[in-house]
Amino acid sequence: VPLYEKFALVYDQMGADRHSQKMAGYTLEIMRRFKIRAATGLDLCCGTGSAVARLADHGLEMAGLDQSPHMLAMATRKLKGRSVTLYRKSLPKFRLLDSRDSRRLRRFDLVTCFYDSLNYLKGERALKGAFRSVYEHLNSPGWFVFDMNTPSALKTLWDDSIHADVRDNLAWVWKLDHFPKTRSSACYATFFVKRGRTWERFDEVHYEYGYTNGTIRRLLREVGFEVKGFYDCGTFRKPTSGTSRICAVAKKTDKHGR
Ligand SMILES: C[S@@+](CC[C@H](N)C(=O)[O-])C[C@H]1O[C@@H](n2cnc3c(N)ncnc32)[C@H](O)[C@@H]1O
């Protein structure tokens, strides 16, 4: 079953986009700390576009990328009136071409990716491939800011539990299960949406894969990034063994801008 289809229609109603709104604010704080002067930005796995909107309103010329046409449709609606570009592409490998010279890649000063979207990538090769694609789409200097769930979050928060809530026209039940061998977790999500006088049910299964802080840092370095910040997400403190979400700040300084 494809993901983020009907889920897209209720994503914001569930308040699921609040995280990326917070992350956009946190990213602006990171930009102040590191004196990052970014004019252009790309939000990967942009979903319904809340972070794109926030960063565009701050003055960045923004683009968003996602593989789900349904999420992008919601983003298009939200971003109406703002001049942003949305791309339907999939990680890990993507190529965005420069509209003025189609032999060149479009490059940005800042790339972001929020709400454990990178945890959807299965295996180090895929994660490294995504990091490489980001590197290739950055100017020099260029910055990459993202958050990820830690293996500890998948083991403790994403295991053997149920999350449920209701709205007037919407209810959902999410069951979480952890698979230690693959350091991954599944979220079996069931939704009920009221349509007229009846309720429609739909289901999606989401898998996330855990990567240690050491692995994330090594893969970033292997593709050419310098890791400038690595935090307990939402703070400027180092992660501890109990940290459930990290935020990484990586810089591209390659002079020839490969
Ligand atoms: C948890 S949502 C996060 C959306 C948004 N960043 C936010 O914070 O609200 C994950 C998003 O990643 C997208 N996604 C997942 N895997 C992807 C991939 N391999 N390539 C592109 N987009 C992907 C999904 O379509 C979805 O919109």
Side-chain angles (χ1 to χ4, degrees), residues 150-166:
T150 60
S152 148
L154 297 184
K155 198 158 83 185
T156 56
L157 306 175
W158 279 58
D159 188 25
D160 197 22
S161 56
I162 294 181
H163 296 264
D165 209 347
V166 287

Side-chain angles (χ1 to χ4, degrees), residues 161-175:
S161 56
I162 294 181
H163 296 264
D165 209 347
V166 287
R167 303 281 184 271
D168 286 347
N169 298 312
L170 171 70
W172 64 94
V173 182
W174 290 11
K175 291 188 180 196

Side-chain angles (χ1 to χ4, degrees), residues 179-185 208-210:
F179 313 106
K181 255 197 204 152
T182 48
R183 277 210 189 108
S184 63
S185 288
E208 289 204 3
Y209 301 86

Side-chain angles (χ1 to χ4, degrees), residues 4 11 20 45 47 66-68 71 89-91 114-115 117:
Y4 295 101
Y11 191 88
S20 71
C45 304
D66 203 283
Q67 70 181 10
S68 160
M71 293 297 260
K89 298 271 181 187
S90 292
L91 303 184
F114 301 139
Y115 215 5
S117 299

